[in-house]
Amino acid sequence: QVQLVESGGGLVQAGDSLSLSCAASGGTSNTYGMGWFRQAPGKEREFVAGISWAGGDTKYSESLKSRVTISRDNAKNTVHLQMNSLKTEDTAVFYCGAALDGGNVNAAFRHAYEYEYWGQGTQVTVSS
């Protein structure tokens, strides 16, 4: 069982940058691709970025890839999402997910159904 705890959300102004973190614990016998999704009020959960366990493969939402960067530190069991030039439409709850990769440490995942574990989410609010 993997536990995920997100942090770093808050209230920022349009144009600001923000870095989110996700701390993972448990499930050390397996390797996981990690990802970030977001869900705005009244909308479905949306893929933001994913990264393989080895860190060499990353996937990004086409609409966000110019403004976000995902990274991970396996020694610290953390994954990060750097977001730049934030817009009011980025306001959402951001979720961290872990996807079992079956030993394929170079696999990153972009679909929510591929993720077995989720954190509780962290709220990001961007004001104009």
Side-chain angles (χ1 to χ4, degrees):
Q1 193 78 356
V2 176
Q3 293 79 44
L4 303 172
V5 179
E6 302 95 337
S7 62
L11 174 63
V12 297
Q13 292 189 326
D16 285 352
S17 297
L18 195 65
S19 180
L20 305 181
S21 295
C22 174
S25 60
T28 55
S29 61
N30 295 305
T31 54
Y32 299 86
M34 300 294 292
W36 287 95
F37 289 71
R38 68 182 185 181
Q39 189 165 16
K43 296 187 176 181
E44 294 186 354
R45 191 167 294 193
E46 174 189 20
F47 172 74
V48 177
I51 188 168
S52 62
W53 186 89
D57 185 27
T58 54
K59 298 186 187 298
Y60 292 97
S61 161
E62 283 297 314
S63 63
L64 295 170
K65 64 180 181 180
S66 65
R67 299 191 291 118
V68 302
T69 303
I70 190 170
S71 61
R72 68 188 295 166
D73 184 342
N74 289 339
K76 296 181 179 179
N77 294 322
T78 56
V79 61
H80 306 281
L81 183 71
Q82 175 68 37
M83 300 186 292
N84 301 319
S85 302
L86 284 162
K87 305 175 181 180
T88 55
E89 52 263 43
D90 293 321
T91 294
V93 178
F94 282 72
Y95 296 92
C96 172
L100 279 166
D101 62 22
N104 184 358
V105 298
N106 296 309
F109 305 90
R110 68 168 60 241
H111 302 289
Y113 65 78
E114 296 177 296
Y115 288 78
E116 284 82 14
Y117 303 101
W118 296 95
Q120 293 297 308
T122 185
Q123 176 71 46
V124 173
T125 303
V126 185
S127 64
S128 58

